[in-house]
Amino acid sequence: MNRPVGRVTRGTTGSNRLRRFDRWITYLAEREIRSDASPLSVDLGFGSAPTTTAQWQRSLRRVNPASQVVGIEIDRDRVAAAAGIITAVHGGFEIPTDRRPLLIRAANVLRQYPLDEVTSAWHLMSSRLAPGGWLIDGTCDEQGRLAAMLSIDATGQPVWFTVSVRLADLHTPSQVAARLPKALIHDNIAGSGIHELLEAMDRNWAAAPRWGARQRWIHMARTVREQGWAVRDSQNRWRLGELTVAWEQVAPD
Ligand SMILES: C[S@@+](CC[C@H](N)C(=O)[O-])C[C@H]1O[C@@H](n2cnc3c(N)ncnc32)[C@H](O)[C@@H]1O
């Protein structure tokens, strides 16, 4: 058998850590999840315990009770430890499932890789997706209060960049800068798209009326859009502390 593509990295995880991921993914792909007779989703790199994988499975089954989730880990001991809790498979970015997944969640995995390996990992993973599927490459803090995600389509091209933060704890939107995906974190320097977006978010957050964090975020999101950023969705998403823009506006040159 071929060796899995990638390498073992730290396995840090935590219960509830990926709730912001799961909420965004369900929203992004709800139609596809519902319309598939038995949608397959892959949790790539579930870490030292499969808690977030089991949580994601429950979340997806609320949308489609026939949802199947497979956890893929490159560390054999972590696969063995997850047996009986989730369906766990030893493997890597090649995604060794017997059918094409609709969704691949790679949370806090690529951040531990060198930048020059990111695009090839995206292409390898997304080449396994079912038509209309999504790969989510993202990063968050230990508690899952600050998260940033890229939604990548089946061609391997990022389409959306999403920030999702817990508003109750937030001082300023650019706190998420420390949690940017690998493809953006090194580019967060004056003049880049991602730096300008975070600056615009901070500026409009600071200028927003102090009605409370939720109203402030909604105001910020609306103003950022009026200023020319391709912000998608509306209050329904913004009230959750989410903001999504077209990747092309933040993509590194
Ligand atoms: C920091 S943990 C993330 C755990 C969980 N996804 C979370 O966000 O809480 C990263 C895990 O990814 C695994 N990993 C790294 N590269 C991988 C690859 N190419 N294929 C599968 N698993 C991989 C590591 O072994 C590690 O257990």
Side-chain angles (χ1 to χ4, degrees), residues 147 161-165 170-176 180 193-208 216-217 219-221 223-225 227 229 231 241-245 250:
F161 166 64
T162 300
V163 169
S164 179
V165 299
L170 192 72
H171 298 295
T172 190
S174 66
Q175 275 174 267
V176 80
L180 290 173
I194 183 64
H195 193 264
E196 288 192 0
L197 174 64
L198 294 177
E199 270 196 343
M201 290 169 72
D202 278 358
R203 208 172 40 246
N204 290 300
W205 172 261
R216 219 173 147 189
W217 184 271
H219 189 278
M220 177 278 292
T223 318
V224 165
R225 178 152 76 191
Q227 292 170 351
W229 290 92
V231 177
E242 240 180 58
L243 182 136
T244 298
V245 299
V250 294

Side-chain angles (χ1 to χ4, degrees), residues 5 7 9-10 12-13 17 45 47 73 78 92 107-108 112-113:
V5 181
R7 55 193 162 274
T9 57
R10 280 190 314 278
T12 323
T13 187
R17 187 188 196 194
E73 242 301 333
R78 294 174 190 159
N108 298 299
Q112 297 186 69
Y113 279 74

Side-chain angles (χ1 to χ4, degrees), residues 65-120:
S67 287
Q68 301 292 323
V69 175
V70 172
I72 296 181
E73 242 301 333
I74 202 161
D75 181 321
R76 284 188 187 278
D77 293 340
R78 294 174 190 159
V79 175
I85 306 170
I86 59 160
T87 305
V89 169
H90 179 236
F93 296 135
E94 75 286 0
I95 313 287
T97 48
D98 51 14
R99 60 194 178 99
R100 290 180 177 275
L102 179 63
L103 300 166
I104 302 173
R105 184 182 75 172
N108 298 299
V109 175
L110 281 168
R111 264 296 293 279
Q112 297 186 69
Y113 279 74
L115 178 60
D116 62 6
E117 293 182 31
V118 168
T119 314
S120 58

